[in-house]
């Protein structure tokens, strides 16, 4: 852990980062140390192949009924995906789709009429942004267990 200069718990992780961290920790004093990525920031190996089908399912459900979150929530629930990865993946996956695909489509179909409904969406974006800022500040005080309890209810 911290004695070796590795990220806390890095020696327990079975990854290349952990192996590199152990090698640096066991090196001779005065030896040149290589930069080791923080093991807590390395996503699990299984995540990348799973993101494509989960993203497709989220997109399908988003287009079908506007509820694209459940597949991602189940991914977090069944895998224990860390909160730091979850909080970056889900919004980034939705950002371009909502602003450049879904938004223009629903406006062009007349589902949203900016002249009569615009104030609702402006308020939603405003309060969503304020809530996002508050959540961003509070995230440092939320443990992984509390995060999972909040996501799963």
């Amino acid at each position: 852990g911290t004695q070796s200069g590795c990220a806390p718990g890095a020696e327990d992780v079975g990854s290349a980062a952990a192996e590199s961290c152990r090698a640096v920790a066991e090196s001779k004093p005065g030896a040149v140390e290589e930069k080791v990525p923080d093991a807590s920031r390395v996503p699990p190996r299984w995540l990348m192949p799973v993101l494509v089908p989960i993203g497709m399912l989220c997109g399908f459900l988003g287009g079908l009924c506007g509820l694209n979150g459940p597949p991602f929530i189940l991914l977090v629930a069944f895998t224990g995906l860390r909160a730091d990865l979850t909080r970056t993946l889900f919004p980034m996956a939705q950002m371009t789709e909502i602003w450049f695909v879904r938004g223009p489509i629903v406006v062009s179909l007349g589902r949203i009429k900016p002249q009569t409904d615009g104030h609702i969406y402006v308020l939603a974006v405003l309060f969503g942004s304020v809530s996002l800022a508050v959540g961003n500040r509070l995230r440092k005080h939320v443990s992984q267990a509390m995060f999972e309890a909040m996501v799963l209810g």
Side-chain angles (χ1 to χ4, degrees), residues 3-55:
Q3 287 181 338
S4 64
C6 299
E11 290 92 351
D12 302 330
V13 180
S15 67
E19 291 300 320
S20 179
C21 187
R22 273 195 289 279
V24 170
E26 295 167 359
S27 65
K28 297 177 185 173
V32 176
E33 292 186 21
E34 61 181 89
K35 294 200 179 222
V36 179
D38 182 358
S40 68
R41 303 290 299 164
V42 177
R45 291 182 188 175
W46 56 263
L47 182 60
M48 295 310 283
V50 171
L51 283 180
V52 171
I54 293 292

Side-chain angles (χ1 to χ4, degrees), residues 94-104 125:
Q94 289 188 321
M95 185 172 63
T96 54
E97 188 267 334
I98 289 174
W99 289 105
F100 299 111
V101 178
R102 191 183 311 183
V125 169

